[in-house]
Amino acid sequence: MLSVIVAPEQPSERGLILVVDDDASTRTLVSRWLQKEGYEVREAPSGEGALEVVAALTTPLDCVVLDVMMPGMNGVEVVQRLRGIPAVADVSVLLLTAHATGDEDVVAGMDAGASDYMFKPFSGPVMVARVRALCRRTQHARELKAKLLEAEEHAAIDPLTNLYNRRQFERTLTEEAARARRHQSPCAILLGDLDYFKTINDTHGHAEGDRVLTYFSSKVQSILRGEDRAFRYGGEEFAVILPGADVEGALRVDRRLREALARDPYVFAKGHSNVINYSAGIACAQGASDFTFKGIVEDADRALYAAKRNGRNRTELA
Ligand SMILES: [Mg+2]
């Protein structure tokens, strides 16, 4: 009786390599060399097969050793396709090609985004050394990308309140405007401003004022749904973008926030507690034509101004 032992899917310390070649003996040869060095290897007999392996991966790929001449999808096409798949877009690719057909394939493959090439027949140790260098390159690219993402995230956040900052507000609203247009869906924004914040600052000092902002922001965060985003829009001004929400939806968010603030009043350093109130304006855009970035913000701003003028601690609709 045959039994198949499936290796557990865990990242090998040396890296994960995909070997793609229509010639079974070359594939086996390359795999053996790499496995001997401690690499984990997946094999595919065609370009189409390679894409299937990539789609099923659960751990990051470190290098692809890729035959150029294959029936069906050739190596150059495979490189092009890989570059379009986010999970493997930065993976180094080592082209393997026969001397006889060499130069043009190499040029096309490198232009398509391959990192290096070797002619067949190849020296095992040299091939392994190249794969090793390419794995390092992939890993560096991956680390760099992670750091970049972290830095971008950092640059989008207001350090005091942990809400997104105003720059990010404009970016998010532009994205949401495009999405609302595409899906013909509504989008609402709520622009709010803490009431009598200047009095808090003047009476209790700026450090206390900062703590009030932090407290308030955590209340805002606590009532948001998955897609909602909250921003520190100015000093004591905040904004919430509510994708998919109409006026009713935005009013519900506003109500939830006021309830959360009333349930858990802010406790001042001196010991007494107070409900922190705010004034707000809500504007909503429905579908395509009326959704303009500037318009909706100006509408919400005017509504906020009306809420202040009409006595504060209230919400007005644009
Ligand atoms: Mg071939």
Side-chain angles (χ1 to χ4, degrees):
M1 202 169 83
L2 275 176
S3 67
V4 179
I5 297 171
V6 180
E9 188 101 21
Q10 50 184 217
S12 130
E13 241 179 68
R14 305 226 52 168
L16 177 62
I17 318 292
L18 172 59
V19 178
V20 190
D21 201 308
D22 60 309
D23 177 50
S25 60
T26 308
R27 220 162 55 223
T28 308
L29 185 65
V30 172
S31 294
R32 291 235 172 102
W33 272 107
L34 293 171
Q35 280 161 341
K36 213 170 68 184
E37 289 294 310
Y39 288 104
E40 191 186 340
V41 176
R42 299 291 154 79
E43 293 184 18
S46 65
E48 292 83 353
L51 295 178
E52 276 170 34
V53 171
V54 164
L57 284 177
T58 56
T59 53
L61 191 61
D62 295 293
C63 184
V64 181
V65 180
L66 180 62
D67 181 27
V68 177
M69 292 284 281
M70 294 184 291
M73 191 185 294
N74 68 23
V76 177
E77 286 173 70
V78 174
V79 175
Q80 283 164 346
R81 296 286 290 271
L82 292 177
R83 291 299 169 247
I85 303 170
V88 290
D90 298 321
V91 170
S92 304
V93 176
L94 173 62
L95 295 175
L96 280 187
T97 187
H99 248 303
T101 53
D103 289 356
E104 277 176 30
D105 290 343
V106 168
V107 171
M110 302 287 282
D111 282 348
S115 329
D116 200 357
Y117 70 94
M118 285 187 84
F119 287 124
K120 299 187 218 182
F122 57 85
S123 138
V126 172
M127 187 273 292
V128 168
R130 287 200 158 151
V131 167
R132 199 157 46 228
L134 291 175
C135 284
R136 278 198 301 272
R137 198 191 286 183
T138 304
Q139 282 151 11
H140 278 151
R142 205 150 47 215
E143 281 163 23
L144 223 59
K145 196 176 241 179
K147 277 186 192 150
L148 194 68
L149 277 176
E150 202 186 299
E152 273 175 4
E153 183 76 14
H154 209 72
I157 294 210
D158 171 59
L160 174 68
T161 60
N162 259 332
L163 300 182
Y164 289 108
N165 57 27
R166 182 165 184 158
R167 207 175 68 179
Q168 188 61 27
F169 172 79
E170 276 153 29
R171 206 175 289 158
T172 303
L173 197 61
T174 307
E175 283 165 17
E176 287 307 327
R179 194 163 77 150
R181 260 195 304 274
R182 225 170 25 246
H183 300 296
Q184 292 285 299
S185 63
C187 182
I189 72 168
L190 182 151
L191 215 56
D193 188 283
L194 269 62
D195 291 333
Y196 302 109
F197 185 72
K198 191 175 178 304
T199 311
I200 294 174
N201 265 338
D202 291 347
T203 313
H204 300 277
H206 286 277
E208 186 87 69
D210 282 354
R211 280 194 293 278
V212 169
L213 288 174
T214 307
Y215 153 88
F216 183 85
S217 304
S218 73
K219 290 288 174 249
V220 174
Q221 295 279 30
S222 74
I223 56 104
L224 296 183
R225 305 162 310 163
E227 295 206 305
D228 303 342
R229 294 279 174 276
F231 307 81
R232 187 177 184 193
Y233 194 68
E236 67 271 27
E237 261 189 294
F238 67 99
V240 185
I241 297 180
L242 304 157
D246 54 12
V247 169
E248 286 306 312
L251 281 171
R252 271 197 298 278
V253 168
D254 180 63
R255 212 151 42 227
R256 278 209 304 277
L257 180 55
R258 292 190 188 279
E259 282 163 8
L261 291 163
R263 244 193 331 268
D264 180 27
Y266 177 75
V267 182
F268 284 85
K270 285 179 179 165
H272 68 293
S273 63
N274 253 347
V275 174
I276 303 296
N277 293 321
Y278 66 91
S279 303
I282 286 175
C284 177
Q286 185 77 36
S289 51
D290 66 336
F291 197 104
T292 60
F293 162 69
K294 257 187 100 183
I296 193 173
V297 177
E298 279 169 8
D299 288 351
D301 203 38
R302 259 195 302 275
L304 165 60
Y305 187 73
K308 289 281 182 196
R309 209 178 37 224
N310 295 338
R312 297 185 168 88
N313 189 23
R314 57 187 292 134
T315 298
E316 299 286 347
L317 304 176

